[in-house]
Amino acid sequence: MQGISSEAFVLGMSAVGAGLALIAGIGPGIGQGYAAGAAAAAVGRQPEAKADIVQTMILGQAIAESTGIYGLVVGIILLFVRPLMSAL
C-alpha cells in the first residue's frame, strides 16, 4: 500500500477489530432482556415456582454476560496492549 505505513495499518485494523469485538455486547444485552421478560411472565403464571425461575434466570444471564465480557476484554487488549505490533 502506498502512503500508509505498516504500523498505521496494523493500528487501524486493531481498532476495527476492537470495534467488532465490542459489538459482541449487543447479543447478551438482547438475550438478557428477553430472559428477564420471559422469567417475569413465568413468575406471573406460576408464582409458587418463583425461586426456581429466578435461580435459572440468573444462571442463564450470568452465562450470557460472559460472552459480552469476553468481547470487552478482547477489545481492550487490541486497543491498549497492541499484541499485533510485535509481529511487525
Side-chain angles (χ1 to χ4, degrees), residues 1-61:
M1 282 184 265
Q2 194 172 18
I4 298 176
S5 68
S6 59
E7 293 174 353
F9 182 75
V10 168
L11 287 175
M13 290 297 111
S14 293
V16 170
L20 291 174
L22 293 178
I23 288 175
I26 294 173
I30 294 171
Q32 288 176 350
Y34 181 76
V43 169
R45 284 191 307 270
Q46 295 181 334
E48 67 275 3
K50 178 183 176 186
D52 292 336
I53 292 169
V54 169
Q55 181 181 9
T56 304
M57 179 195 70
I58 289 175
L59 178 64
Q61 288 190 348

Side-chain angles (χ1 to χ4, degrees), residues 38-82:
V43 169
R45 284 191 307 270
Q46 295 181 334
E48 67 275 3
K50 178 183 176 186
D52 292 336
I53 292 169
V54 169
Q55 181 181 9
T56 304
M57 179 195 70
I58 289 175
L59 178 64
Q61 288 190 348
I63 292 170
E65 184 65 29
S66 66
T67 58
I69 292 172
Y70 290 146
L72 176 66
V73 169
V74 168
I76 287 173
I77 288 172
L78 284 174
L79 285 179
F80 297 110
V81 178
R82 299 177 181 173

